[in-house]
Amino acid sequence: MWKIHNKLLIYLLWIMEIRLVSSFTSAMLCGRIPGLTPAQRQFCSEMPDVLIALGEGQQLGARECQQQFRGHRWNCSEVWHKNVHIIPIASREAAYTYAIASAGAAYAVTAACARGNISKCGCDLRHKAAPPEPWKWGGCSADVDFGIRHTSKFMDARELERDSRSLMNLHNNRVGRRIVKKLLRTDCKCHGVSGSCVMKTCWKSLPPFSLVGDKLMQKYHKAKTVQAVRGKRGLRLALSRKKHAIAAGQKPAWAWPKRMELVYLEASPNYCERSIQTGTLGTAGRSCNRTGHGPQSCDLLCCGRGHNTQHIHRKSQCRCQFHWCCDVECEVCDESYEQFTCK
Ligand SMILES: *[C@@H]1O[C@H](CO)[C@@H](O)[C@H](O)[C@H]1NC(C)=O
Ligand SMILES: *[C@@H]1O[C@H](CO)[C@@H](O)[C@H](O)[C@H]1NC(C)=O
Ligand SMILES: *[C@@H]1O[C@H](CO)[C@@H](O)[C@H](O)[C@H]1NC(C)=O
């Protein structure tokens, strides 16, 4: 477990580094990033511009993960923070984290290609093939295959152990990348007299990244428990079977997780209490919603410990009016509200 922890920590450190040194030369960049495997170091010196986009992708993934889990007991903030514990448990949350991180990477590299920021790629020209009239491919189609190929080369290179945890990470990495490809959109533009659309030009474009986050969130809720089983070609992940099926003496026939399913090995902790072992900070002190029913409700977020209520009074500007031209006049109002935080 600690091995995985350290691996991730080192990985996060190099992300920090990339942001600091992105203007340096590639030799310096690649030399300064700690903990790269030889394959990753090679990759870095060959394609430093891809690596910079990968760093952007990490930020993208981090922001989206935090947005999706805002208010939940586990809110994704600890994972991307520098000095805190990183998911040592092979949980559903770990599955989401890996998937969104690799989706972010594939997305950012693809976007950087289309912007012309990466020397070895650009637009996907395969979409130039003549489709049926009366429209044609044109413009700049996102080269998602380049993005996927190069992020997988780099990110999967971390998973050297070939144990059950690294198989899980590899699987979830792939799911994240595939979703980016699956959600590509076709945008079109009409040409012709006053928008008559006699002729259309279409291209593939990236969706807003929040759609990737939404889709992965659906998959997070439907994630499957797996276990590693030994087959002819080494370890492989199989769907965990229900206990009663085994007890009933059924033949062991393994079922495999689907290509687009997130998978995890261990049940999640409840994330209620602070614990170094599970790498959680606990929910004490988190602000909660007394009237809501969602994950941020005091009932759920505070894990039954109850909440503190604070009465807050403050002065604020209110009843603002716009006077022609160009003045805004406000009154000062006393505002008071209650704030709830978990015990
Ligand atoms: C990427 O492209 C944008 C706009 O074309 C530019 O402002 C930016 O500096 C480029 N970034 C890198 C890292 O090349
Ligand atoms: C996320 O959770 C941590 C630990 O419980 C907390 O310190 C942090 O403020 C939370 N972040 C947000 C945005 O709610
Ligand atoms: C609390 O939840 C209610 C109902 O879901 C919602 O209307 C309200 O805006 C929430 N309050 C805060 C402070 O988030």
Side-chain angles (χ1 to χ4, degrees):
M1 239 172 227
W2 281 104
K3 197 168 52 181
I4 285 154
H5 180 138
N6 285 337
K7 195 164 58 175
L8 254 166
L9 192 63
I10 284 165
Y11 185 51
L12 289 172
L13 280 174
W14 76 249
I15 293 160
M16 306 287 164
E17 287 277 314
I18 285 175
R19 280 190 300 156
L20 294 177
V21 301
S22 59
S23 56
F24 288 23
T25 65
S26 66
M28 276 179 84
L29 173 86
C30 304
R32 281 190 50 163
I33 301 169
L36 292 187
T37 64
Q40 285 179 322
R41 207 168 286 281
Q42 167 101 18
F43 181 98
C44 177
S45 55
E46 281 168 12
M47 299 190 165
D49 43 8
V50 173
L51 212 67
I52 288 162
L54 280 172
E56 289 166 9
Q58 292 291 313
Q59 299 302 312
L60 194 65
R63 273 199 303 275
E64 184 58 29
C65 185
Q66 282 163 14
Q67 184 64 28
Q68 293 285 342
F69 283 92
R70 206 173 38 174
H72 291 225
R73 282 183 194 167
W74 182 83
N75 67 8
C76 204
S77 69
E78 300 156 37
V79 185
W80 309 85
H81 240 268
K82 206 170 175 182
N83 293 317
V84 266
H85 312 290
I86 295 150
I87 322 183
I89 294 189
S91 62
R92 205 184 266 271
E93 288 73 33
Y96 186 91
T97 308
Y98 275 76
I100 195 88
S102 75
Y107 186 100
V109 171
T110 307
C113 286
R115 280 203 311 270
N117 275 20
I118 295 179
S119 57
K120 291 210 170 78
C121 64
C123 305
D124 189 349
L125 298 179
R126 279 170 309 162
H127 287 297
K128 287 266 153 119
E133 298 285 329
W135 63 283
K136 62 180 172 104
W137 290 110
C140 183
S141 281
D143 192 354
V144 75
D145 288 333
F146 180 95
I148 286 178
R149 217 167 38 244
H150 289 85
T151 47
S152 55
K153 210 164 153 188
F154 190 83
M155 299 193 56
D156 292 354
R158 277 179 294 159
E159 308 296 339
L160 297 170
E161 284 87 354
R162 295 280 147 186
D163 56 6
S164 56
R165 175 68 193 254
S166 55
L167 290 179
M168 166 184 155
N169 294 344
L170 288 171
H171 179 98
N172 294 322
N173 281 353
R174 276 194 298 272
V175 173
R177 292 190 290 261
R178 282 177 184 147
I179 283 184
V180 175
K181 180 161 182 173
K182 200 157 179 222
L183 292 179
L184 275 189
R185 306 192 296 199
T186 304
D187 284 342
C188 295
K189 195 172 141 188
C190 288
H191 313 279
V193 188
S194 58
S196 62
C197 233
V198 177
M199 191 64 213
K200 254 198 318 190
T201 311
C202 301
W203 63 92
K204 292 279 181 192
S205 68
L206 288 165
F209 193 67
S210 60
L211 290 188
V212 176
D214 292 346
K215 192 81 197 165
L216 279 175
M217 198 63 177
Q218 292 168 9
K219 296 196 175 289
Y220 162 83
H221 288 297
K222 291 194 256 169
K224 294 288 191 324
T225 327
V226 290
Q227 65 190 94
V229 295
R230 199 162 286 286
K232 286 196 198 96
R233 282 177 297 150
L235 273 190
R236 196 174 166 189
L237 294 179
L239 295 177
S240 291
R241 281 178 306 197
K242 300 214 167 58
K243 285 225 169 62
H244 60 79
I246 297 166
Q250 284 184 356
K251 266 200 188 148
W254 297 104
W256 314 111
K258 297 205 184 83
R259 281 163 48 87
M260 297 291 272
E261 260 171 358
L262 291 182
V263 300
Y264 62 97
L265 296 161
E266 295 173 275
S268 305
N270 60 20
Y271 298 110
C272 286
E273 310 293 337
R274 191 184 178 84
S275 151
I276 291 182
Q277 216 175 4
T278 60
T280 56
L281 295 174
T283 63
R286 292 274 302 273
S287 70
C288 62
N289 186 332
R290 205 178 57 169
T291 51
H293 295 286
Q296 203 173 358
S297 68
C298 293
D299 280 350
L300 272 179
L301 190 60
C302 306
C303 307
R305 294 185 307 262
H307 58 268
N308 295 316
T309 306
Q310 209 182 350
H311 297 276
I312 299 191
H313 299 281
R314 64 171 193 187
K315 294 198 186 308
S316 67
Q317 301 210 316
C318 62
R319 288 196 279 276
C320 296
Q321 280 187 337
F322 180 78
H323 296 287
W324 187 263
C325 179
C326 297
D327 240 355
V328 179
E329 247 175 41
C330 297
E331 293 173 36
V332 175
C333 301
D334 281 321
E335 197 184 25
S336 73
Y337 59 95
E338 288 177 318
Q339 189 172 306
F340 309 101
T341 51
C342 292
K343 280 188 180 158

